[in-house]
Amino acid sequence: MAKRRSDLGGDHLQTRCFSNGRKKKRYGLSGETIYKCLHRFEEEPDHDAAWDKVRPGRPPKLDCEEQFNFAQLLCEPPVNAGYDAEEYSIPLVQRLLDEQFDVTYSRTSVCRLLSKIE
């Protein structure tokens, strides 16, 4: 998103001449997003407006040590962790997280967590 905003900012003068439909097609963004971006470029210097502000977000459910332990568990077959399966599936990983670490993850969050540890 930051790249698109910076592209939009670089074309700031030219985009003011485009219709909403043309802006949407050119940048692949919604009209609302384009208006917000243009407003940011009017309010802030270009180099500041081109990037999103840092937001802390929610803290992870597993701390670094728990993530390491989780990754170690996944290196072993599920049978070693007491499960009757040959390989891990998303539902089995959800169950593992619940039983071993007392945390609940959605399917999407499990996929995100797995991509971080690979």
Side-chain angles (χ1 to χ4, degrees):
M1 186 64 155
K3 174 66 176 137
R4 285 189 174 163
R5 280 204 181 111
S6 107
D7 288 348
L8 186 62
D11 260 350
H12 181 67
L13 295 175
Q14 191 175 3
T15 55
R16 295 182 140 258
C17 301
F18 290 165
S19 68
N20 285 341
R22 191 166 174 195
K23 289 175 192 175
K24 288 177 192 179
K25 282 183 182 178
R26 181 173 184 156
Y27 296 105
L29 301 170
S30 71
E32 182 180 354
T33 301
I34 290 172
Y35 281 122
K36 285 180 183 178
C37 291
L38 291 175
H39 179 72
R40 280 174 65 173
F41 280 100
E42 289 172 355
E43 298 293 318
E44 304 173 28
D46 283 353
H47 63 280
D48 290 337
W51 303 101
D52 288 333
K53 293 179 176 40
V54 176
R55 292 180 262 171
R58 184 184 308 171
K61 291 181 179 182
L62 298 177
D63 62 28
C64 289
E65 183 179 343
E66 290 171 324
Q67 286 183 23
F68 177 78
N69 293 337
F70 171 65
Q72 293 300 314
L73 283 172
L74 293 180
C75 289
E76 299 293 324
V79 175
N80 291 2
Y83 300 108
D84 186 26
E86 292 181 22
E87 59 185 33
Y88 283 103
S89 63
I90 299 300
L92 187 55
V93 172
Q94 287 176 297
R95 185 173 157 199
L96 173 80
L97 288 164
D98 184 40
E99 293 174 356
Q100 300 287 327
F101 300 97
D102 197 31
V103 294
T104 304
Y105 275 84
S106 68
R107 292 176 68 88
T108 304
S109 295
V110 166
C111 293
R112 193 176 302 122
L113 181 64
L114 291 172
S115 70
K116 284 173 53 175
I117 63 170
E118 290 183 330

